[in-house]
Amino acid sequence: MMPLASYAPALAQLDDNFFGDRRNAVNECPGNNGLCPGWIFDNIDQYLSPLWEHVLLSIVPLVLGFLVATTLALLAHRYKFLGTGFLAIVSALFTIPSIAFYLILLNVTGRGFATAVIVLTAYTLVLIYRNVQTGLEEVPREMVDVAEGMGLTRRQILFRVELPMALPTIFAGLRIAASSTVGIAGFAFFAGAGGLGQEIFAAPTFRGNVVAASVLMILLATVLELAVLAVQRSFTPWERAVST
Amino acid sequence: MAESLPWPGRMGQSRHLHIFDAAPRAELREVTAPQTAPSPDVARPRPQAATLELRSATKRYPGQDEAAVDGLSLTVPAGEICVLVGPSGCGKTTAMRMVNRMIEITEGDILLDDRSVRDRAPAELRREIGYAIQQIGLFPHLTVAANVAVVPRLLGWDRDRIDARVRELLQLVSLDEGTGERYPAQLSGGQRQRVGVARALAADPPLMLMDEPFGAIDPINRERLQNEFLRLQAEIRKTIVFVTHDIDEAIKMGDKIAILQEGGILAQFASPAELLMYPASPFVEDFVGSDRALKRLALQRVRDIDLWKAAVVRAGEPVADVRKKLEDADLDIPLLVDDHGRPKGWLSERGMTGERVREELRSPADPIVELDDILRDALSDLLGSDTRYGPVVDADGRVAGVLSMEALSHALSVPAEHIPTPSELAAATDGDE
Ligand SMILES: Nc1ncnc2c1ncn2[C@@H]1O[C@H](COP(=O)(O)OP(=O)(O)O)[C@@H](O)[C@H]1O
Ligand SMILES: [Mg+2]
């Protein structure tokens, strides 16, 4: 983690009350080095609205990222020459540090939820794109061959054979994207989009606060991953068919 | 479990009456049954099959000097199995795929029922041609029923018709109805192969293309699937192009065999018997193997050849009658049978010393050969015993004659034209049951 000071230009654009009143809460919980279960229990409702923001900051980029990455991967699957270029772009996006990304975008799209969503969506792309592409590539040649021989058109082969068979790999990518997005969404406050990250940075030295927000983030990541897993299972019943 | 069941082709005909009515087609072609087949029962469905004709079909892959298939001309009459066989890389798969336009021909033409495949839209053409490859060809993400239903769905059949058709096909290939709900990963190799065949047959195609369909099956199951498939074919009488690299499989399955050599050149196109008796070139001779005379023995069954006549006697029969029978017989030892006509053993001289035949056996009656045994197996049985001859029994175990080394070697001198093709044989056996 870079020292907070190096974010100075970004912080300059944040609300005056960015750190909020949470700082003062340290005083309400002086014992145990700032970590009081009692305080967390009493104040948990303060975290519900940031949690909800965080949920949106995770799900919306995931859905958008899935749509964009899948579209790109399908295009690359159809027109092979696009593949290398797409992969280079989505990989490059992933390597831009959050803070730099926000700094660039703040001047273009301004502060707010939309900017955060753009950044977070961009980060999901490489994870989902790579898995969709790998999944499609790993469909055995014979499957496509036999589908063609039975008279399926290219589009039918894609939607009835290749995509379904790629689903396990695609979902694996989505699961990684889900937990990583929950994490990266912790920086959405740079765009003024709130979320649990904002709570952490509001009082980074107050351990009760940090623990409460972090635990909620971990829970959210776990729940999202399990949700994706549940969807995956219902979409891929053959994966559970045991050979006899 | 299910694998030991015979194809329903053996289990009476009535069930099949409606199966192939499922897909009405504009041109229903009548297929003339081969002469050797017993007159088909009138109720048998009129099978539909197409005539396939390749006219100097040539494929040159871009960037390659040599053609992969070079001027291939052959005609497959409706209802026959044509096997494409040859060493690896000789162009069998290419030749087969030119038929359904998975590979476009460079020169020449291919006609399906006198109509060029080049005038047909590829996807539509392919839905009319059954396609089966090695067992890996089943879609792992679809249930067995959904796999079988792929082409009917493409053709827009309604649900009820598809469901009914799937049930019929699973029955046709001897799979339990419950198999429909399972996934390919839950089936044995043999079961998967049957599903593959059922799927290729789903829309009742007049032509089937099969690329090494039994290639991934172990030898024992392969043999069984081959037999079952031949029986099924005797029933459905499709036109089939069957690709294999195994000459034994080719001899077993083909009505006609096209041997291809490197560069996709047709080395010989002939019936299995002709191929084995009159190989057209050193290449063919080499490819069919130096044991080709022995291979011919696989083409015929014991019932197809002239058997020796035995003096069949029962205990208690007047010895005078037995002596008279022996004058007529090809063998001077009487064969003692039980009340049902089943062989008990060769009668010894002492058994004929009195007025009437006594059960005095000289030697047991083995090997016992069945009418349905192929000659190769029968020969093997004879070689394994001391006597060099053995009683032949029918399906009920009753004596039908005697097979001897002499009778076998006589059969080998029969001209190739008189040896029936595998599907004629299958039809003949099928009709008897
Ligand atoms: N798609 C292709 N492009 C170029 N060459 C091919 C292609 N498919 C097959 N060939 C070549 O054509 C020849 C015949 O191949 P194939 O028909 O697959 O033979 P077989 O099925 O008899 O083993 C081989 O030399 C093979 O390398
Ligand atoms: Mg091949």
Side-chain angles (χ1 to χ4, degrees):
Chain A
M1 176 75 45
M2 281 185 276
L4 215 55
S6 56
Y7 295 131
L11 296 178
Q13 294 184 43
L14 298 173
D15 278 351
D16 292 340
N17 67 342
F18 170 70
F19 289 120
D21 303 328
R22 195 62 47 77
R23 251 184 224 163
N24 305 327
V26 184
N27 307 326
E28 295 172 29
C29 174
N32 199 15
N33 217 355
L35 180 56
C36 331
W39 183 90
I40 295 175
F41 189 78
D42 291 340
N43 294 275
I44 195 72
D45 55 319
Q46 289 188 33
Y47 291 90
L48 291 184
S49 137
L51 173 63
W52 176 241
E53 286 166 1
H54 212 105
V55 168
L56 291 182
L57 283 169
S58 306
I59 290 180
V60 174
L62 272 177
V63 171
L64 290 179
F66 176 71
L67 294 177
V68 174
T70 307
T71 309
L72 292 181
L74 291 184
L75 279 173
H77 183 65
R78 179 80 173 75
Y79 307 101
K80 299 286 178 213
F81 64 94
L82 293 174
T84 348
F86 282 172
L87 187 61
I89 293 170
V90 295
S91 305
L93 284 176
F94 194 67
T95 62
I96 304 175
S98 264
I99 185 71
F101 215 150
Y102 284 117
L103 282 179
I104 298 163
L105 273 184
L106 284 174
N107 297 317
V108 187
T109 55
R111 290 165 40 75
F113 183 70
T115 302
V117 163
I118 292 171
V119 170
L120 292 170
T121 302
Y123 284 137
T124 64
L125 291 182
V126 72
L127 300 172
I128 302 174
Y129 174 86
R130 248 213 303 251
N131 277 48
V132 176
Q133 208 194 22
T134 311
L136 290 175
E137 259 164 29
E138 278 174 353
V139 172
R141 175 70 220 146
E142 292 87 346
M143 288 298 137
V144 177
D145 186 278
V146 80
E148 197 186 340
M150 291 169 80
L152 277 80
T153 61
R154 257 187 120 136
R155 173 184 289 258
Q156 286 165 335
I157 292 174
L158 179 62
F159 286 103
R160 299 188 194 191
V161 179
E162 292 176 298
L163 271 179
M165 287 189 66
L167 278 182
T169 315
I170 295 174
F171 276 110
L174 263 180
R175 288 207 307 272
I176 300 168
S179 46
S180 90
T181 302
V182 171
I184 304 174
F187 295 103
F189 66 90
F190 281 122
L196 290 165
Q198 173 154 358
E199 302 309 307
I200 293 174
F201 278 85
T205 52
F206 174 22
R207 291 180 68 199
N209 169 56
V210 174
V211 167
S214 304
V215 166
L216 285 178
M217 271 172 72
I218 293 167
L219 278 179
L220 175 57
T222 310
V223 167
L224 266 186
E225 232 191 292
L226 288 177
V228 175
L229 192 64
V231 176
Q232 171 177 358
R233 290 190 132 224
S234 74
F235 271 72
T236 58
W238 66 91
E239 288 274 294
R240 268 169 297 155
V242 219
S243 57
T244 46
Chain B
M1 241 1 286
E3 274 171 61
S4 57
L5 290 171
W7 294 81
R10 307 187 63 136
M11 304 197 270
Q13 316 292 321
S14 58
R15 181 141 38 80
H16 305 294
L17 297 184
H18 52 293
I19 289 184
F20 295 103
D21 296 339
R25 209 176 292 276
E27 328 136 42
L28 253 165
R29 306 198 136 247
E30 200 160 77
V31 180
T32 45
Q35 266 86 47
T36 49
S39 64
D41 40 305
V42 211
R44 216 175 249 216
R46 228 171 4 162
Q48 48 165 295
T51 303
L52 176 69
E53 188 183 350
L54 276 69
R55 288 189 186 159
S56 310
T58 299
K59 177 65 191 181
R60 252 177 264 279
Y61 286 109
Q64 285 179 10
D65 298 337
E66 264 200 45
V69 173
D70 201 358
L72 183 59
S73 294
L74 52 86
T75 301
V76 189
E80 286 200 0
I81 301 180
C82 169
V83 177
L84 300 179
V85 69
S88 171
C90 68
K92 306 179 292 289
T93 299
T94 302
M96 193 195 84
R97 290 183 181 202
M98 295 192 303
V99 173
N100 70 354
R101 294 192 61 181
M102 289 176 78
I103 290 172
E104 295 290 348
I105 40 182
T106 323
E107 284 158 45
D109 204 356
I110 294 177
L111 307 177
L112 193 56
D113 272 345
D114 299 325
R115 209 175 144 198
S116 171
V117 294
R118 291 192 297 183
D119 298 340
R120 314 278 306 270
E124 178 229 351
L125 173 74
R126 289 173 200 154
R127 289 168 197 177
E128 240 175 69
I129 298 177
Y131 188 70
I133 58 174
Q134 290 189 5
Q135 56 168 318
I136 195 159
L138 292 186
F139 297 125
H141 62 293
L142 298 181
T143 61
V144 165
N147 262 288
V148 175
V150 168
V151 175
R153 269 197 196 131
L154 291 176
L155 294 172
W157 294 13
D158 62 50
R159 247 197 107 85
D160 291 345
R161 185 172 168 204
I162 292 178
D163 289 349
R165 179 66 176 156
V166 167
R167 271 197 304 277
E168 280 166 344
L169 282 163
L170 291 184
Q171 222 168 45
L172 185 71
V173 298
S174 306
L175 289 170
D176 303 337
E177 208 171 297
T179 316
E181 270 107 66
R182 309 178 76 191
Y183 287 99
Q186 296 169 301
L187 306 183
S188 71
Q191 287 173 320
R192 267 179 247 177
Q193 190 47 51
R194 281 161 202 220
V195 177
V197 170
R199 184 174 69 172
L201 283 170
D204 197 20
L207 172 69
M208 295 230 280
L209 305 179
M210 308 181 83
D211 196 349
E212 314 227 3
F214 308 130
I217 310 273
D218 63 276
I220 292 170
N221 278 308
R222 186 186 314 148
E223 174 109 31
R224 190 152 68 197
L225 285 163
Q226 287 167 342
N227 293 339
E228 289 173 351
F229 187 76
L230 281 175
R231 270 185 229 119
L232 180 68
Q233 164 66 357
E235 195 72 25
I236 61 180
R237 297 213 162 263
K238 296 290 172 191
T239 309
I240 294 170
V241 177
F242 188 108
V243 165
T244 179
H245 62 266
D246 175 1
I247 184 66
D248 292 310
E249 183 167 72
I251 289 166
K252 181 161 185 185
M253 304 303 285
D255 292 307
K256 279 285 200 67
I257 297 175
I259 295 199
L260 297 182
Q261 66 191 61
E262 200 68 35
I265 296 159
L266 184 62
Q268 189 167 4
F269 183 50
S271 74
E274 284 166 341
L275 205 66
L276 291 171
M277 295 178 86
Y278 319 117
S281 68
F283 170 80
V284 177
E285 200 170 336
D286 191 46
F287 190 76
V288 298
S290 46
D291 60 341
R292 59 194 167 89
L294 279 179
K295 284 188 171 124
R296 278 186 53 207
L297 289 172
L299 294 176
Q300 281 175 286
R301 291 176 193 272
V302 174
R303 66 165 69 249
D304 302 321
I305 68 171
D306 290 330
L307 298 175
W308 276 7
K309 197 163 175 260
V312 176
V313 302
R314 284 161 213 262
E317 211 173 309
V319 169
D321 289 3
V322 175
R323 301 234 181 259
K324 205 177 286 163
K325 277 183 187 169
L326 278 175
E327 281 167 27
D328 255 4
D330 294 310
L331 194 69
D332 55 12
I333 309 165
L335 179 61
L336 190 72
V337 299
D338 67 10
D339 290 342
H340 302 287
R342 292 187 286 244
K344 293 182 90 173
W346 302 104
L347 192 66
S348 90
E349 271 302 321
R350 274 197 291 148
M352 294 194 292
T353 44
E355 273 290 282
R356 295 183 174 269
V357 171
R358 278 184 298 140
E359 255 188 71
E360 197 89 43
L361 293 187
R362 184 172 109 167
S363 60
D366 39 71
I368 293 181
V369 177
E370 287 181 31
L371 277 175
D372 275 338
D373 286 347
I374 56 171
L375 294 186
R376 196 186 51 205
D377 296 348
L379 172 64
S380 173
D381 287 346
L382 290 189
L383 290 176
S385 80
D386 300 331
T387 49
R388 303 283 190 256
Y389 52 79
V392 176
V393 297
D394 63 16
D396 298 323
R398 277 192 294 264
V399 173
V402 168
L403 182 72
S404 66
M405 292 297 248
E406 288 85 345
L408 266 173
S409 68
H410 178 74
L412 283 177
S413 61
V414 171
E417 306 80 79
H418 295 158
I419 297 178
T421 61
S423 73
E424 287 166 359
L425 275 182
T429 1
D430 198 45
D432 287 346
E433 286 167 55

